[in-house]
Amino acid sequence: MSTATMQMQTAPIDGLKIRYADSGTAHGPVILLTSPWPESLLAFRRVWPFLTQTGRLVAVDLPGFGHSEGRPDVLAPTAMGEFLGHFISKLGLGKPHLVAPDVGASAALFLAARHPDAVTSLVIGGGGAAYPLEVTGTLADIIAAPGIEVFRGMDRATLGASVEPAAAHGQEPEVWEDYVSGYENGRFAESTRYVRSYPEQLPVLRDLLPGIQVPVHIFASADDPLVPVSNGEYLAQRIPGSRLTILPASHFAWEEIPDQFAALITDSVTEAENRTGQ
């Protein structure tokens, strides 16, 4: 699909210039989607047309990811959860249904645990959540690296190769360029601060999970080379009343199987709306 249907805007939130897209739909519930890494909010270009029939869609490049400004103090799940609360308030989104794949998952869980009235439901998954850590491949290497300096020289070719499975340069050059340019000039190195905080942050999250009250639909991808299904199982065991769906995908489920991913969101939102009687 054309990305033209995702109207880009920016807003100052917490002193940072934040990029987001808003479908502007007047009817139905609000669904807020947070950008995965190392992509941007354009990761939702394929689920967007499915979901616009469900409600108003807002997608955001989290601070330091995609094309939103970042700052070291916000690049950790606890701080990112607080940012999401400010973003929701600033844009007047009420109590949205929060869809947070990948790096957004832990931030969304902190928000729901510490501010139970901030959201109506969560759809989360594909991000490191278990403690002790259960991450593999490049993600494990990034967290284990001695510091972020080793990632400062990340070139376009390396960045491009990492997003090629999500947006092939030959087929979607504009999306590929949006992803790659979002992490050029040292931004990738800075963005690694987020996942490198997991060893300190995830034990704190673990203790908060049993207190989460909103409906939570967890997804995991059967063939994810970075975040094993065990992360989804870990969350499902600790969040009361949550459910887990294992998807037939690798890491980029939202782009690989957009119809199934959108259906999972729609089902979750409809169920949560019915439960709250809104």
Side-chain angles (χ1 to χ4, degrees), residues 74-203:
V74 82
L75 282 164
T78 42
M80 196 67 81
E82 295 302 312
F83 165 84
L84 281 171
H86 298 160
F87 181 84
I88 290 165
S89 176
K90 185 81 181 275
L91 265 65
L93 302 182
K95 287 178 61 174
H97 298 270
L98 184 51
V99 178
D102 194 64
V103 289
S106 49
L109 290 166
F110 270 114
L111 175 65
R114 290 185 165 160
H115 303 280
D117 294 328
V119 293
T120 297
S121 74
L122 299 182
V123 174
I124 48 140
Y131 190 82
L133 291 180
E134 295 186 20
V135 294
T136 47
T138 312
L139 180 56
D141 295 341
I142 289 170
I143 294 171
I148 69 169
E149 296 307 316
V150 355
F151 305 112
R152 290 232 180 260
M154 185 80 80
D155 60 14
R156 286 176 62 85
T158 308
L159 288 167
S162 70
V163 300
E164 185 71 16
H169 183 266
Q171 296 168 344
E172 296 182 290
E174 292 175 13
V175 179
W176 186 94
E177 180 60 32
D178 190 84
Y179 291 172
V180 172
S181 59
Y183 297 97
E184 283 185 299
N185 305 317
R187 276 177 58 90
F188 182 83
E190 288 298 316
S191 71
T192 65
R193 293 181 189 274
Y194 189 92
V195 296
R196 287 171 57 78
S197 75
Y198 285 177
E200 295 79 40
Q201 297 260 303
L202 293 182

Side-chain angles (χ1 to χ4, degrees), residues 7 25 60 73 75 103 132 134 142 162 178 189 235 238 246 270:
Q7 300 294 326
T25 319
V60 61
D73 63 282
L75 282 164
V103 289
E134 295 186 20
I142 289 170
S162 70
D178 190 84
L235 291 174
R238 289 165 175 79
I246 299 175
T270 303

Side-chain angles (χ1 to χ4, degrees), residues 4-278:
T5 56
M6 297 182 73
Q7 300 294 326
M8 301 294 180
Q9 304 180 48
T10 58
I13 314 274
D14 292 353
L16 298 168
K17 187 178 178 182
I18 300 300
R19 184 177 79 161
Y20 68 99
D22 189 341
S23 71
T25 319
H27 62 86
V30 177
I31 303 170
L32 172 59
L33 306 105
T34 67
S35 59
W37 179 59
E39 299 155 274
S40 74
L41 56 80
L42 289 183
F44 303 115
R45 68 198 179 281
R46 295 177 187 162
V47 299
W48 203 257
F50 292 106
L51 293 176
T52 46
Q53 297 151 43
T54 304
R56 175 185 173 191
L57 308 183
V58 177
V60 61
D61 277 345
L62 296 171
F65 296 96
H67 290 270
S68 286
E69 287 180 345
R71 208 173 45 224
D73 63 282
V74 82
L75 282 164
T78 42
M80 196 67 81
E82 295 302 312
F83 165 84
L84 281 171
H86 298 160
F87 181 84
I88 290 165
S89 176
K90 185 81 181 275
L91 265 65
L93 302 182
K95 287 178 61 174
H97 298 270
L98 184 51
V99 178
D102 194 64
V103 289
S106 49
L109 290 166
F110 270 114
L111 175 65
R114 290 185 165 160
H115 303 280
D117 294 328
V119 293
T120 297
S121 74
L122 299 182
V123 174
I124 48 140
Y131 190 82
L133 291 180
E134 295 186 20
V135 294
T136 47
T138 312
L139 180 56
D141 295 341
I142 289 170
I143 294 171
I148 69 169
E149 296 307 316
V150 355
F151 305 112
R152 290 232 180 260
M154 185 80 80
D155 60 14
R156 286 176 62 85
T158 308
L159 288 167
S162 70
V163 300
E164 185 71 16
H169 183 266
Q171 296 168 344
E172 296 182 290
E174 292 175 13
V175 179
W176 186 94
E177 180 60 32
D178 190 84
Y179 291 172
V180 172
S181 59
Y183 297 97
E184 283 185 299
N185 305 317
R187 276 177 58 90
F188 182 83
E190 288 298 316
S191 71
T192 65
R193 293 181 189 274
Y194 189 92
V195 296
R196 287 171 57 78
S197 75
Y198 285 177
E200 295 79 40
Q201 297 260 303
L202 293 182
V204 180
L205 180 60
R206 173 192 59 203
D207 297 339
L208 293 172
L209 295 175
I212 292 176
Q213 300 296 319
V214 299
V216 180
H217 194 155
I218 304 152
F219 70 87
S221 294
D223 302 310
D224 194 323
L226 306 172
V227 183
V229 169
S230 57
N231 288 272
E233 294 167 343
Y234 173 97
L235 291 174
Q237 288 162 7
R238 289 165 175 79
I239 301 172
S242 61
R243 59 177 168 145
L244 171 64
T245 298
I246 299 175
L247 298 169
S250 64
H251 184 65
F252 303 103
W254 40 93
E255 284 161 297
E256 295 169 39
I257 49 168
D259 51 343
Q260 290 182 58
F261 197 78
L264 184 152
I265 295 168
T266 299
D267 290 348
S268 300
V269 167
T270 303
E271 193 174 302
E273 287 286 307
N274 290 340
R275 189 187 298 193
T276 54
Q278 293 176 346

